[in-house]
Amino acid sequence: MQCDTVWKGARLATMAGTGLGAVAHGLIAARDGVILYAGPADAAPRLEAARVVDCGGRWITPGLIDCHTHLVHGGDRAAEFEMRLDGASYEEIARAGGGIVSTMRATRAASEDALVASALPRLDALIAEGATTVEVKSGYGLDRETELRMLRAARRLGRERRVHIATTYLGAHALPPEYAGDPDGYVAMLCDEALAEVAALGLADAVDAFCEGIGFTPAQTERIFAAAARHGLPVKLHAEQLSNLSGAALAARHGALSADHLEFLDEAGIAAMAAAGTVATLLPGAFYFVRETQLPPIAQLRAAGVPIALATDCNPGTSPLTSLLLVMNMGATLFRLTVAECLAGVTRNAARALGLGDRGTLEAGKRCDLAIWDVERPAELVYRMGFNPLHARIWSGQ
Ligand SMILES: O=C(O)CC[C@@H]1NC(=O)NC1=O
Ligand SMILES: [Fe+3]
């Protein structure tokens, strides 16, 4: 079998099946950026490789995937961080005209170049820890032109770095001042004008919304989902973060790729997600940073067989976090996920939350996106905080 490169003598966390799929003395062979074989070296087919890399006893996982970020935005919210230290809640700050709308002003004032320049250091931090795919949402422009500029900036990140960027249109993130008191009018503009343009320009791979008391109602969310379907775009949803509006069940009914946050998810939402195959994307960085106390229903999600993904939710207001390794530690420490669940959360299930069936496991036919680690066991990737044991990152076979 002709191949470009063989990585041999390593231990593989294939993430195939439901666990780590750990393989000792493993071998990965790839050609043109696609895995031809991943498994025990002694079961490998005869290979003619242009290059052979001896990985010693290092562990190899699929490249990490951050399936929920607001990486592109203007400004920061450090001042509000101090307000919160003085006791203001996230919702009080939002209702006082802070929160998302204050980042909206900074984003509207930023050029596309400035948006790219300010996002690159955040993207580089994720890449430094082995990220090979990153999702980036719009949602801080809240007007036609700025939302398009955010999505163009997100697409450019994928040309400036060796990483795959999945883009998500999140026009329904907050109500802009121009539509104060008229959320239905804003939703109508999103459904009848903005979404058509975003789809026609091919700038978004999915559509998201913030279904919450300080966001949009289930009825408004449903209209956005219907418009997304008309334009052939899959959906995902910020759901049950601060209260239970049955957003996750609504998302599942629309075949959503994922429902995200889910601290207030109930049994009906879990059942609907399990039936629809909707991924539960948990965001422990936001839970930690806004000092939530309501844990997502992990045991019930596990029992129902709902796939669990983990992501940074990197955003300036509730999760200024650019470390998937720390996200895994928080997933274990705060949410009591197992090591295998945390690793699946940033690989196999994160790929599923983006509808990307060509990655997230080490199997023949998948993208050759790898992270090679200087660790004795995969648990070290979840156990440590603020330590990066990445030895090498392989993106599309290189
Ligand atoms: O505060 C921000 O800037 C965004 C917060 C972020 N967006 C959302 O829908 N939920 C969140 O936690
Ligand atoms: Fe978010």
Side-chain angles (χ1 to χ4, degrees), residues 77 90 100 140 173 210 238 241 261 313 315 317-318:
R77 300 254 287 285
Y90 176 53
I100 296 174
Y140 285 115
H173 195 195
F210 182 30
H238 286 67
Q241 179 183 5
H261 283 291
D313 191 18
N315 77 75
T318 64

Side-chain angles (χ1 to χ4, degrees), residues 364-383:
K366 297 289 182 81
R367 278 177 60 96
C368 185
D369 291 343
L370 313 176
I372 303 174
W373 304 97
D374 275 320
V375 294
E376 280 308 306
R377 60 185 60 74
E380 292 176 58
L381 298 175
V382 180
Y383 154 73

Side-chain angles (χ1 to χ4, degrees), residues 50-71:
R51 187 166 72 103
V52 177
V53 177
D54 184 347
C55 295
R58 292 185 177 93
W59 277 89
I60 301 180
T61 68
L64 304 192
I65 298 171
D66 196 348
C67 66
H68 182 134
T69 89
H70 307 255
L71 210 66

Side-chain angles (χ1 to χ4, degrees), residues 7 23 37 94 118 127 143 147 168 239 257 279 312 314 319 386:
W7 292 267
V23 172
Y37 174 81
S118 62
I127 289 172
D143 65 11
E147 288 291 306
T168 301
L257 294 171
V279 174
T312 61
C314 178
S319 190

